[in-house]
Amino acid sequence: MPQIDLILRYQEKEKELRKIEREINSTPERKAYAQARSQAIHVSEELKQFSDKASQMQTELSGIIAAVGTIEDQLRDFENLEELVEEGADLSFYKKNAQKLAAEIRMMKSRASKIIPEYKKTLEDMGTLRKQYVPLQKACNGELGEAYKKVMAARKPERDRISAEMTEMAKEIDPSLMKKYEVKRQEKVFPIVVPVSGDRCSGCGTELTLIEKENIQKSEVVECENCGKLLYLIK
């Protein structure tokens, strides 16, 4: 049997498999599961974003608390200011430093006062999202997931039979042609192999180049430059 006939037969068998996949995807069970799973993934991604944000704010707040503590320790050095003055220390120098440290504390506390409400709101939002995520995940792993598994299991014998037939068919096809077909499959092209119609690709209507016309006359499979389908000549 010519190679083009073998690959076309293989493609028809894949079409049967794809039809089953479409039928499975159109079932209420598959749609309900897919919707819940999509929502669960979306909520999970939002949770991750809020968690990262909360972690960053917590780190910043910890840094502010530590810095304020350090400055307060420094300010304690000014508690014995009278003794320092009596010993001849410059009062204006210490006063200026104390004012500078006090200003830094005010600035840090001001920043903290802005972070804390936002931090609390972020934690509240995370709590709300968790309440949404838990039932969705439970449904996917439970009732909806089990219903979808039953649909898949019911069609499994048929899918396995077709897949096995395709495996046997592939053994008769030239490896280089089979490789081209598999590459196109990965590119989501289907049908992959289509006939030439009046020197044009029957998939997209693009006219073949002179070289492609020459090659296809030699019974070679050529690739459409526009849509990527594999073309053959009907004889």
Side-chain angles (χ1 to χ4, degrees):
M1 184 181 293
Q3 285 295 307
I4 189 62
D5 291 338
L6 291 173
I7 199 72
L8 286 171
R9 188 179 66 163
Y10 181 90
Q11 180 171 259
E12 282 302 308
K13 191 59 64 174
E14 182 173 356
K15 186 185 292 184
E16 292 180 31
L17 190 60
R18 286 172 173 263
K19 181 175 180 291
I20 294 173
E21 298 294 343
R22 288 196 302 272
E23 290 171 353
I24 291 173
N25 290 338
S26 66
T27 61
E29 293 85 353
R30 171 65 174 82
K31 290 179 179 179
Y33 172 78
Q35 183 179 15
R37 186 171 182 274
S38 176
Q39 290 175 345
I41 291 172
H42 177 70
V43 172
S44 177
E45 289 173 348
E46 281 193 304
L47 263 173
K48 176 66 167 58
Q49 292 175 358
F50 278 109
S51 178
D52 290 344
K53 182 179 178 181
S55 179
Q56 291 172 1
M57 287 189 288
Q58 189 176 41
T59 299
E60 186 174 358
L61 281 171
S62 297
I64 289 173
I65 292 170
V68 169
T70 300
I71 294 173
E72 287 178 341
D73 288 341
Q74 293 174 358
L75 283 173
R76 289 191 187 96
D77 294 337
F78 297 98
E79 291 177 356
N80 300 321
L81 191 57
E82 292 181 1
E83 295 179 7
L84 293 172
V85 172
E86 290 176 359
E87 294 173 1
D90 185 354
L91 179 61
S92 63
F93 170 78
Y94 285 101
K95 186 177 180 180
K96 185 177 180 181
N97 279 351
Q99 290 173 340
K100 180 181 177 183
L101 293 173
E104 289 180 10
I105 287 179
R106 286 195 299 272
M107 181 181 67
M108 290 181 183
K109 287 185 175 180
S110 174
R111 173 58 182 158
S113 67
K114 294 178 181 178
I115 295 174
I116 290 172
E118 186 178 359
Y119 178 67
K120 289 180 177 179
K121 179 64 168 57
T122 300
L123 294 180
E124 289 175 2
D125 291 338
M126 288 175 65
T128 301
L129 287 171
R130 285 195 183 96
K131 289 178 181 179
Q132 295 175 15
Y133 178 76
V134 170
L136 287 170
Q137 187 68 7
K138 186 177 180 181
C140 289
N141 294 333
E143 182 180 353
L144 295 180
E146 290 302 319
Y148 175 48
K149 285 180 182 178
K150 287 181 181 179
V151 171
M152 293 286 287
R155 305 303 297 269
K156 187 176 185 300
E158 190 177 4
R159 292 167 67 230
D160 288 349
R161 175 184 60 78
I162 294 174
S163 294
E165 291 175 0
M166 290 175 65
T167 298
E168 290 302 312
M169 290 179 181
K171 295 177 182 178
E172 301 179 45
I173 301 171
D174 181 85
S176 62
L177 179 57
M178 195 69 234
K179 185 176 181 180
K180 289 180 182 179
Y181 186 96
E182 290 171 347
V183 168
K184 294 302 171 185
R185 178 192 284 149
Q186 292 174 0
E187 295 174 358
K188 309 298 182 184
V189 175
F190 199 86
I192 297 169
V193 185
V194 297
V196 170
S197 177
D199 291 337
R200 292 180 179 274
C201 168
S202 61
C204 68
T206 300
E207 185 175 0
L208 273 66
T209 64
L210 290 175
I211 294 177
E212 288 171 341
K213 290 177 184 178
E214 291 177 3
N215 289 337
I216 209 164
Q217 287 294 338
K218 300 174 186 176
S219 298
E220 293 184 19
V221 173
V222 300
E223 181 178 339
C224 175
E225 291 185 349
N226 183 54
C227 68
K229 293 183 183 293
L230 300 180
L231 308 176
Y232 70 96
L233 189 64
I234 298 177
K235 294 184 179 182

